[in-house]
Amino acid sequence: MNYLIYIFTLTLLQALIFGRIHLFGVATPLVYIYFVLLLPRNESRITSMVLSFLLGMAVDIFSNTPGLAASSLTLLAFFQPYVLNLYLRKGDEDTFRPTLRSMGFIRYFSYSFFLTLVYCFTIFTLEAFTLAHWLHWLLSILSSLVLTLFIILATESLRNKKK
């Protein structure tokens, strides 16, 4: 049930606030990927992929981007456990949840950076579907990566201070 609250909240935030931001015509914050970043180590692959697909479809419905967010977020949910395992220590338990507090800044930043880069690359490549305008494509990926990562790290820092 906790996941449904995250999905609902992130969909509303993306649809009402962040989906309307396009800095310099290229940078769009894609904060709904935060859902996939928070998935715990022991989460079933099927569950995480289905929930990510549902979140992506909800974002697609409000953003009028048929299937882009759903396919990209599902792919991200598929890769998330593999990437998370790269940043775990030997003593981390099966219920490990990746947060700034549990991983430390450098490991969490690297983990978030890599997954956000994969997501931005996937969604903007599917959106462009051609490299005719490769400079705009590259600027969209890099600027959205930086903006999204900044918002995710700021959110994690605020969550870290609350606890």
Side-chain angles (χ1 to χ4, degrees):
M1 193 58 156
N2 196 17
Y3 289 147
L4 295 178
I5 294 169
Y6 276 120
I7 289 173
F8 181 75
T9 304
L10 289 171
T11 300
L12 281 179
L13 285 172
Q14 187 67 34
L16 298 176
I17 299 169
F18 296 113
R20 303 186 188 288
I21 299 172
H22 303 290
L23 294 177
F24 310 111
V26 291
T28 304
L30 306 165
V31 296
Y32 53 92
I33 69 170
Y34 187 54
F35 174 78
V36 177
L37 295 176
L38 287 176
L39 290 172
R41 179 181 189 187
N42 65 343
E43 188 62 57
S44 160
R45 172 99 23 107
I46 297 297
T47 302
S48 63
M49 289 176 67
V50 167
L51 290 173
S52 297
F53 176 79
L54 292 174
L55 173 59
M57 279 305 293
V59 170
D60 281 334
I61 288 168
F62 288 109
S63 302
N64 197 24
T65 55
L68 289 179
S71 58
S72 301
L73 208 56
T74 304
L75 180 71
L76 193 67
F78 176 79
F79 284 122
Q80 187 263 355
Y82 297 116
V83 175
L84 181 59
N85 282 334
L86 294 174
Y87 295 100
L88 292 179
R89 296 184 191 131
K90 287 190 180 207
D92 291 334
E93 64 274 352
D94 283 343
T95 58
F96 182 82
R97 183 176 290 273
T99 62
L100 189 60
R101 178 176 286 217
S102 65
M103 295 177 79
F105 181 78
I106 299 297
R107 287 181 27 213
Y108 187 79
F109 177 81
S110 301
Y111 165 75
S112 301
F113 177 85
F114 186 75
L115 286 177
T116 306
L117 178 63
V118 167
Y119 185 79
C120 288
F121 178 82
T122 305
I123 196 164
F124 288 113
T125 301
L126 288 174
E127 182 183 47
F129 209 67
T130 180
L131 292 180
H133 304 285
W134 65 272
L135 188 58
H136 185 267
W137 169 77
L138 187 62
L139 284 173
S140 294
I141 291 171
L142 295 176
S143 59
S144 295
L145 167 71
V146 169
L147 188 57
T148 302
L149 199 57
F150 176 77
I151 293 171
I152 287 172
L153 290 173
T155 303
E156 264 303 301
S157 293
L158 289 175
R159 281 186 55 200
N160 197 19
K161 284 185 180 181
K162 267 175 73 173
K163 294 181 179 180

